[in-house]
Amino acid sequence: MKIAVFYDYFEGEMAPLWYVINFRKGELDWNKDIAYIPIAAPFQRQGAEDFSSDSMGITVTLADLTVSEDKPGKFGIRLDPLRRRATENMQDYWDAEFLMLQVADLEELLQMNPWR
């Protein structure tokens, strides 16, 4: 898996807007309840113009995110809601090659983390 953070102008300044987790088809174990992603993973800084929508991805919302005391340095993504949304949109989640979430949602999750 590779992490990329896409920056764009927000209120006149460059700001991180999208946190994108890229993976190969089948690399993400969709049979699990939660996928844990390292928070401190090195990531590639990219501009919004670098985003390529040639592959299928799934948007992750704040409601899909979680933290666990047993997984320090990681945040979790509940996969069931993602599977449901993909299926409702007539997409096969096994074909997904990235998950995309707002950096603001990840920041909010980490601020709520009682184990910091």
Side-chain angles (χ1 to χ4, degrees):
M1 286 188 191
K2 291 184 182 178
I3 308 294
V5 175
F6 289 85
Y7 286 69
D8 204 355
Y9 285 95
F10 181 73
E11 296 181 355
E13 303 213 8
M14 276 300 255
L17 297 180
W18 294 100
Y19 191 92
V20 180
I21 304 152
N22 295 287
F23 47 88
R24 292 182 308 277
K25 286 182 185 179
E27 183 179 1
L28 183 65
D29 187 354
W30 288 99
N31 295 315
K32 290 185 176 182
D33 292 330
I34 299 174
Y36 286 97
I37 310 298
I39 295 169
F43 61 84
Q44 230 177 352
R45 179 178 173 163
Q46 300 195 346
E49 67 279 359
D50 297 322
F51 183 76
S52 172
S53 61
D54 293 342
S55 55
M56 185 188 135
I58 300 175
T59 302
V60 178
T61 67
L62 179 58
D64 302 325
L65 301 176
T66 186
V67 290
S68 171
E69 187 175 344
D70 298 334
K71 303 282 186 181
K74 296 182 178 187
F75 68 96
I77 300 174
R78 293 182 188 92
L79 297 178
D80 187 51
L82 277 59
R83 289 189 295 257
R84 261 188 279 123
R85 283 199 298 272
T87 302
E88 288 168 0
N89 289 308
M90 308 294 187
Q91 300 290 328
D92 184 353
Y93 49 84
W94 286 100
D95 289 337
E97 294 183 61
F98 66 89
L99 300 178
M100 183 173 182
L101 58 137
Q102 290 185 10
V103 170
D105 287 348
L106 184 55
E107 289 173 342
E108 187 172 336
L109 174 78
L110 297 177
Q111 288 175 4
M112 294 185 299
N113 181 358
W115 304 290
R116 286 190 294 147

